[in-house]
Amino acid sequence: MHSPLDTAEHPEKLRRVVIEPVSRVEGHGKVTILLDDQRKVHQVRLHIVEFRGFERFIQGRPYWEVPVMVQRLCGICPVSHHLAASKALDAVVGARTLTPAAERIRRLMHYGQILQSHALHFYHLASPDLLFGFDADPRKRNVVGVLAAYPDIARQGVLLRKYGQECIRVTAGKRVHGTGSIPGGVNKRVTAEERDELRRPLSDIRAWAQAGVALVTELHEHNRDLYEQFGTVKSSLLSIVGRDGKLDLYDGVLRARDAQGAIIFDGVEPKDYHVQLRENVRSWSYMKFPFIVSRGPEEGWYKVGPLARIQNCDAIGTPLAEAARQELIADSHGAIVHAPLVFHWARMIELLHAVEVIEGLLADPALLGDELVASGPRARTGVGIIEAPRGTLIHQYEVDEHDLVTMCNLIVSTTHNNQAMNEAIRQVARQHLDGHEPTEGLLNHIEVAIRAFDPCLSCATHALGKMPLAVEIVDAQGALVERLVRDGERL
Amino acid sequence: MTRAAVEIPTKKKLRVATTSLAGCFGCHMSLLDIDERLVPLLELVELDASPLTDIKHPGPCDLGLIEGGLCNADNVRMLRVFREQCKVLVAMGACAINGGLPAQRNHLDIRDCLQTVYLSGHGVERGFIPNDPELPLPLKQVHPLHDVVKIDYFLPGCPPSAEAIWQFLTDIIAGRTPHLGHGLIKYD
């Protein structure tokens, strides 16, 4: 059976309240809430309402087009898809080990992306809730309001994002939807001038990243009960970790812990992901529901993303971020933290880590190498796993003897968090909505919980859906453009 | 030819709504890639409904920027609302202009697509096709915006560069006919 508040017994007798669209998140989602006459909540669901069909239309394309095609899944983290596809296809072209330069250039691209995406999420999207309050005036509760009230914080956010985007531009060719990574390596070297350009602002960038960690820590301190309890539901955790057990967002092996922190599995090679993870479908969302096989479909859901990662790894390999991580662990006396609002703290620790990693890469002479592509014995299949800003991202492809893709399976970060987000908003509904008239401010509480996971709903909409009704689309002159179909059949 | 600096209208800010339909948010990212120029822009522009604000439905606006094409009935509904509310409507980016990459599904049979993803999909257990009334109707094919409403400007690129978006917006704000000069129009 599904969790409480997943499915009401008699939905037809209940009042429907809808949040549509969920705003200040990436992509298209809506929340429906069903209430009875006493305003008791009976059902809460986050619906992913779009479908784009990438897994299907990739089939039949030549494999080398794939890294550039699939990044169109998402404009906020295109690099994740660009690199996860490249990593999967490294196996197909037999590049078991990348050249030193290619490995570093891809890492610079990826950590640049972690930096820009985390900055965007915190400063541009989520910070208005945390700085002004969840039920502040909705006209001010946005990045424009932050610019007016906290100009320094907003400016630092804009410049942190800019810096991450510049790391991407230098390595991928342009800021959004670049072409730098290819199966077997990269197609563009980094010049000494480009490296020096990126090194120049580093001390400011590092200081602002540290200020970001201090800001979320302070917000947490000031409102401890809220930050620890808001929407909190225990679950397992999943991420990749480096082969040495340390935080590694570019490459590693799968590790899962249960809600108390005990290892469920560890050291699982990317190609074996399907042994540990499977997916379920629900009627009311185009996003699937993955679960850990050994725990089963009901109990096997888990969280991914910054909060999972920094508690799943043994340590962070850079000093400033590791010190910040130790502070977070000490704050909960070592108990696993499940609170959605603590995602923000973990995310800023990762942002700081990204700056430190970038600093290390820019100091490494191997970054400037010009051996860019490796190859070896061809294979028919490949799996690439990467930690995208929002969590674990899995790409799997099969390629035939004509170099055409015959199978594509994607499990994106936000999909892993599907159940976790639904459980969090149900908990918020119990904590804050039950018995109250759902005002704009109260409904924003639901969105605050969703935002904490930094969902990328565009990434989650790569699937296709069914048509439950019939509709006609007409153009500006009233002429019929399209008649929609019912149950997959043309009317 | 050099351009005059942007003249700052002192009285009324330009009211701008933005939305992403069947897009990836990359065009919105490119808009944010104007970086520090966001500050002077927001002194000239009032954001209405947008993924960046909590205004869910647009009121009367001077300008509407739409990213993404049309893949479901909700997209069409939102496009019509934008057309009603916005004096000037802009198709921003490849998907809005010609459907973009999502239109790759247009030559496929939709039933086959559904089955690939939800029934025979790799690692799917107890698969079936989602069918709840809360899910909007998918269109049989992905359409560009101008198939359904009149579009005033087309801003090409995947995404249009931040420079192109900046040039376009500053022209509109200053009351000039937008003109993208050399290097700003790209069809990538």
Side-chain angles (χ1 to χ4, degrees):
Chain A
M1 279 321 296
H2 300 314
S3 69
L5 301 191
D6 177 292
T7 304
E9 274 187 40
H10 296 288
E12 69 285 357
K13 294 178 180 165
L14 300 169
R15 172 155 71 114
R16 172 180 173 274
V17 175
V18 62
I19 304 172
E20 185 180 22
V22 177
S23 50
R24 288 188 283 127
V25 299
E26 196 279 353
H28 310 263
K30 71 174 173 183
V31 173
T32 55
I33 303 167
L34 299 185
L35 307 158
D36 66 18
D37 293 343
Q38 282 73 49
R39 303 184 184 113
K40 186 175 162 40
V41 178
H42 288 256
Q43 178 180 302
V44 183
R45 290 172 170 177
L46 167 63
H47 308 266
I48 302 305
V49 296
E50 236 190 49
F51 56 92
R52 290 186 298 159
F54 275 74
E55 280 165 325
R56 178 62 187 85
F57 67 64
I58 291 297
Q59 292 177 18
R61 310 297 307 190
Y63 74 83
W64 57 80
E65 286 183 354
V66 169
V68 172
M69 284 181 86
V70 290
Q71 65 183 332
R72 265 75 181 181
L73 281 160
C74 177
I76 293 190
C77 56
V79 169
S80 310
H81 294 287
H82 191 50
L83 291 180
S86 298
K87 287 179 69 182
L89 295 166
D90 288 344
V92 169
V93 300
R96 292 224 169 146
T97 311
L98 295 184
T99 68
E103 161 104 15
R104 283 160 182 78
I105 290 167
R106 281 195 191 173
R107 281 183 182 270
L108 180 56
M109 197 190 300
H110 187 48
Y111 282 90
Q113 161 178 254
I114 297 282
L115 174 49
Q116 68 83 7
S117 176
H118 281 3
L120 170 83
H121 177 262
F122 183 73
Y123 295 97
H124 297 68
L125 301 178
S127 74
D129 297 318
L130 310 176
L131 294 169
F132 300 134
F134 301 174
D135 43 17
D137 180 353
R139 287 167 304 174
K140 298 226 161 62
R141 209 174 53 209
N142 55 50
V143 65
V144 187
V146 179
L147 265 168
Y150 302 96
D152 288 346
I153 292 175
R155 193 176 146 273
Q156 289 171 14
V158 167
L159 293 175
L160 281 167
R161 179 181 177 279
K162 175 187 183 181
Y163 185 77
Q165 289 288 75
E166 282 299 288
C167 293
I168 295 171
R169 185 186 59 76
V170 163
T171 50
K174 61 183 186 142
R175 283 179 166 200
V176 180
H177 301 330
T179 54
S181 183
I182 57 174
V186 296
N187 62 15
K188 178 183 178 305
R189 61 184 285 262
V190 172
T191 66
E193 294 72 37
E194 287 169 330
R195 179 204 53 194
D196 294 344
E197 191 73 19
L198 288 177
R199 280 169 98 163
R200 214 160 290 135
L202 257 175
S203 61
D204 278 343
I205 296 294
R206 194 190 321 109
W208 296 334
Q210 288 179 285
V213 177
L215 174 63
V216 280
T217 314
E218 191 191 325
L219 287 166
H220 185 108
E221 281 289 327
H222 270 274
N223 215 338
R224 190 162 272 285
D225 284 353
L226 180 73
Y227 274 73
E228 287 168 8
Q229 286 160 24
F230 184 79
T232 302
V233 182
K234 291 184 175 182
S235 73
S236 304
L237 312 171
L238 174 85
S239 72
I240 57 170
V241 294
R243 284 164 202 282
D244 57 1
K246 287 186 181 160
L247 184 71
D248 190 331
L249 304 177
Y250 174 75
D251 193 38
V253 287
L254 284 163
R255 175 187 281 181
R257 292 182 190 271
D258 70 15
Q260 282 71 45
I263 296 280
I264 299 173
F265 58 75
D266 196 5
V268 173
E269 289 294 334
K271 67 178 174 49
D272 299 324
Y273 82 92
H274 60 278
V275 178
Q276 304 294 345
L277 303 175
R278 295 186 72 79
E279 292 180 285
N280 249 337
V281 182
R282 307 267 163 88
S283 63
W284 44 270
S285 182
Y286 288 130
M287 186 154 73
K288 294 174 194 168
F289 290 79
F291 59 92
I292 294 170
V293 173
S294 65
R295 301 265 150 155
E298 304 304 329
E299 305 295 320
W301 62 278
Y302 49 88
K303 295 188 213 33
V304 299
L307 187 61
R309 290 192 290 244
I310 70 160
Q311 301 188 97
N312 213 5
C313 68
D314 300 333
I316 297 180
T318 57
L320 296 176
E322 174 60 12
R325 188 184 92 97
Q326 288 301 337
E327 247 182 78
L328 185 147
I329 291 170
D331 191 75
S332 71
H333 309 289
I336 295 287
V337 180
H338 294 280
L341 289 180
V342 183
F343 263 97
H344 297 295
W345 190 354
R347 195 170 288 116
M348 297 313 275
I349 292 172
E350 285 192 345
L351 187 151
L352 177 58
H353 173 60
V355 174
E356 292 181 282
V357 171
I358 290 167
E359 210 166 353
L361 287 165
L362 295 176
D364 185 343
L367 178 72
L368 304 185
D370 49 15
E371 289 282 332
L372 300 180
V373 184
S375 62
R378 286 284 298 264
R380 285 288 179 85
T381 63
V383 175
I385 304 191
I386 198 163
E387 285 295 328
R390 293 149 186 86
T392 312
L393 170 65
I394 302 173
H395 279 219
Q396 178 181 15
Y397 302 96
E398 284 174 19
V399 177
D400 69 11
E401 69 274 23
H402 306 296
D403 288 350
L404 303 180
V405 174
T406 53
M407 187 279 269
C408 162
N409 190 42
L410 313 171
I411 307 182
V412 304
S413 323
T414 299
T415 305
H416 293 289
N417 273 334
N418 198 353
Q419 186 75 16
M421 288 190 291
N422 272 286
E423 294 301 336
I425 61 176
R426 286 165 194 157
Q427 186 72 333
V428 170
R430 279 182 214 107
Q431 291 170 335
H432 296 273
L433 264 65
D434 243 351
H436 300 280
E437 185 56 28
T439 58
E440 194 280 337
L442 279 177
L443 292 178
N444 188 48
H445 282 57
I446 297 278
E447 294 185 79
V448 168
I450 294 169
R451 282 179 205 125
F453 291 85
D454 185 16
C456 196
L457 306 177
S458 278
C459 286
T461 60
H462 53 274
L464 276 157
K466 159 179 171 174
M467 309 93 206
L469 287 169
V471 159
E472 288 184 348
I473 310 295
V474 294
D475 68 13
Q477 283 73 47
L480 185 69
V481 172
E482 179 164 321
R483 187 173 286 179
L484 299 190
V485 288
R486 183 189 181 96
D487 293 345
E489 289 168 22
R490 285 169 200 184
L491 289 177
Chain B
M1 193 179 74
T2 53
R3 279 176 187 287
V6 179
E7 286 161 37
I8 300 172
T10 46
K11 291 184 201 108
K12 193 170 156 282
K13 287 185 174 184
L14 200 74
R15 202 159 184 89
V16 178
T18 78
T19 189
S20 172
L21 303 177
C24 72
F25 272 66
C27 297
H28 276 79
M29 290 305 100
S30 210
L31 169 61
L32 292 180
D33 279 339
I34 64 172
D35 299 329
E36 305 93 305
R37 289 174 287 180
L38 204 55
V39 180
L41 181 74
L42 289 170
E43 282 165 13
L44 305 174
V45 156
E46 182 87 36
L47 274 182
D48 195 272
S50 163
L52 295 169
T53 70
D54 284 345
I55 303 171
K56 310 275 186 189
H57 306 286
C61 285
D62 300 300
L63 180 66
L65 302 174
I66 301 190
E67 151 181 2
L70 306 167
C71 81
N72 66 30
D74 274 5
N75 294 156
V76 176
R77 188 176 49 81
M78 185 57 88
L79 173 62
R80 289 193 189 289
V81 171
F82 263 69
R83 181 66 277 181
E84 278 163 23
Q85 298 290 358
C86 301
K87 287 183 201 149
V88 174
L89 199 59
V90 182
M92 177 167 66
C95 300
I97 292 173
N98 62 21
L101 203 68
Q104 289 283 326
R105 78 164 165 90
N106 285 359
H107 68 282
L108 298 170
D109 178 69
I110 200 138
R111 183 195 298 267
D112 176 42
C113 290
L114 296 167
Q115 291 185 343
T116 300
V117 175
Y118 292 108
L119 296 175
S120 56
H122 199 81
V124 173
E125 235 172 57
R126 289 184 291 165
F128 65 101
I129 295 164
N131 59 355
D132 194 271
E134 293 288 358
L135 300 179
L137 297 163
L139 305 186
K140 197 173 68 205
Q141 297 202 318
V142 177
H143 291 270
L145 305 184
H146 65 265
D147 271 6
V148 174
V149 299
K150 178 177 178 292
I151 295 294
D152 300 299
Y153 292 104
F154 298 85
L155 203 51
C158 183
S161 69
E163 290 309 316
I165 294 172
W166 175 254
Q167 182 66 54
F168 179 84
L169 289 176
T170 50
D171 279 347
I172 290 272
I173 289 167
R176 292 187 294 261
T177 300
H179 176 75
L180 299 189
H182 180 72
L184 290 183
I185 293 190
K186 288 196 171 133
Y187 294 88
D188 52 352

